[in-house]
Amino acid sequence: AAGGGSKLILLPEMWNCAYSNASFPIYAGDSPSSKMLSDMAKSKEVTIIRTTCDHLYNTCCIYGKDGSLKGKHRK
């Protein structure tokens, strides 16, 4: 998407794991995919929005162009 000129990338809910209760704890919060998205946002200079499971909540995380976590919203 970034190669095509996009500056904002939205990932679907639970994009990095199977949608099952057993997989939520493995991929929740600060999983390896969090670091990967942070690095990708910085290297491609894009904003990335993704959702994850954060304890008992479905949480939206926003990574800015500098790779930092700009905010979280618990849905």
Side-chain angles (χ1 to χ4, degrees), residues 19-67:
Y19 201 93
S20 71
N21 288 341
S23 68
F24 293 161
I26 299 166
Y27 295 96
D30 294 325
S31 66
S33 57
S34 299
K35 171 82 168 106
M36 183 271 301
L37 288 178
S38 171
D39 293 345
M40 186 66 65
K42 186 174 183 178
S43 71
K44 301 294 183 182
E45 297 182 342
V46 296
T47 298
I48 299 175
I49 300 175
R50 62 125 178 167
T51 59
T52 186
C53 182
D54 188 9
H55 301 287
L56 299 176
Y57 303 96
N58 192 352
T59 303
C60 177
C61 299
I62 303 164
Y63 298 93
K65 294 178 184 180
D66 62 356

